Amino acid sequence: MGVDRPAVHAGPWFPPVAGAPVEGLPLLCLPHAGGGATAYRTWPHALTPYARAVPVQLPGREDRFGEPPVRSAAVLAAQLADAVAAHPVTRDGCALFGHSMGALLAFELAHELIARGRPPVHVFVSAYRAPQLPRRTRDVHLRDDAGLCEFLAELEGTQAELLRHPELLEVLLPVIRADFELCETYRYRLRRRLDVPVTVLGGRHDAGVPPEDLDAWAEVSGERFAVELFDGGHFYLRQRQAAVLSVVAEALRGRRRA
């Protein structure tokens, strides 16, 4: 069992979490559209001894608010791969977990890391239809603020109170809009299947990502592929966190890094 130590500062991409374990395989956790590292604030203490969750902070949010958000999945994946190579937290390998937009980023980052000779040991993608499928939405990032807020309310991923505060929306909406642009303008490129284990997770009642859209990840994955469904909608993992982390920990069992 690892011992809690002061968190290693690994640059803006991997903000330290006070008191979190610093031993074990790093699981880079990529957020949903508009989300930041705090979306995974409770994860770093929950996966030991098999792994340690490392929330990823993308440009334009939380303590990186002063930076412009990136509107291209390929560009962002390349920047993330640079960060993975540059910082001690991930120098000996990592696994990837991405929810919603984060799943698309995990997919692109996995390909980028493989191309650089640093393949992830496992990729977890959550609540996002397979990348080779056409996008279900193409105009969300083009809607006015009211239309964008209406869409966010339907997803039930943004607290209703936030949507009623103009000063908060002024900060949040540009980042959310940029993230939807990233997803809606994404163009899938035909490449070799991911030759790493892939686990796809989703909510049984997620109207926007039905089970068949999750199953389609098999077309871009290798033989080591699995699908796990949980009760709930698009943000099922908030209510089913313990069950989700159990699946992740079991998949990473035996890959513990001291």
Side-chain angles (χ1 to χ4, degrees):
M1 179 72 69
V3 178
D4 287 3
R5 298 174 182 171
V8 176
H9 182 69
W13 295 94
F14 313 126
V17 177
V22 296
E23 297 176 347
L25 177 74
L27 175 70
L28 305 189
C29 299
L30 297 152
H32 58 277
T38 56
Y40 296 101
R41 61 186 176 278
T42 61
W43 283 40
H45 304 276
L47 281 173
T48 53
Y50 306 114
R52 51 174 170 144
V54 179
V56 175
Q57 192 72 286
L58 302 178
R61 58 216 78 203
E62 297 178 356
D63 57 355
R64 300 187 70 180
F65 172 70
E67 303 175 46
V70 180
R71 291 173 163 80
S72 163
V75 170
L76 191 49
Q79 293 179 357
L80 278 164
D82 289 342
V84 169
H87 293 299
V89 73
T90 49
R91 65 172 175 257
D92 295 326
C94 63
L96 307 176
F97 184 102
H99 178 73
S100 196
M101 179 191 74
L104 177 62
L105 294 179
F107 174 74
E108 287 294 320
L109 176 57
H111 275 292
E112 187 70 26
L113 292 174
I114 290 171
R116 300 184 185 200
R118 302 173 59 94
V121 302
H122 204 116
V123 178
F124 301 88
V125 290
S126 167
Y128 201 81
R129 69 190 328 231
Q132 77 277 13
L133 299 179
R135 298 300 95 200
R136 287 191 179 273
T137 66
R138 292 190 179 276
D139 68 338
V140 172
H141 73 283
L142 299 175
R143 300 182 187 184
D144 61 18
D145 289 353
L148 183 55
C149 288
E150 182 179 355
F151 184 84
L152 294 174
E154 292 172 358
L155 283 180
E156 299 180 350
T158 306
Q159 296 180 5
E161 313 87 78
L162 297 181
L163 296 176
R164 291 194 291 265
H165 287 276
E167 66 278 7
L168 293 176
L169 289 176
E170 186 176 353
V171 173
L172 290 173
L173 288 184
V175 175
I176 295 173
R177 192 181 304 280
D179 287 351
F180 273 103
E181 181 179 347
L182 181 152
C183 295
E184 293 181 329
T185 61
Y186 173 78
R187 295 295 180 265
Y188 173 73
R189 294 185 293 121
L190 185 63
R191 288 166 286 191
R192 295 183 60 182
R193 294 185 176 203
L194 287 176
D195 189 23
V196 298
V198 175
T199 300
V200 181
L201 307 93
R204 288 191 177 90
H205 312 297
D206 186 346
V209 190
E212 58 267 26
D213 287 359
L214 299 176
D215 292 339
W217 279 92
E219 299 174 13
V220 296
S221 304
E223 295 181 359
R224 293 169 292 177
F225 173 79
V227 177
E228 299 281 351
L229 294 178
F230 303 84
D231 289 337
H234 191 66
F235 284 89
Y236 70 91
L237 75 173
R238 293 179 178 173
Q239 292 76 37
R240 306 297 174 189
Q241 178 175 302
V244 170
L245 292 176
S246 177
V247 167
V248 172
E250 183 61 30
L252 296 178
R253 186 188 297 272
R255 296 179 177 273
R256 179 182 177 185
R257 197 189 80 193

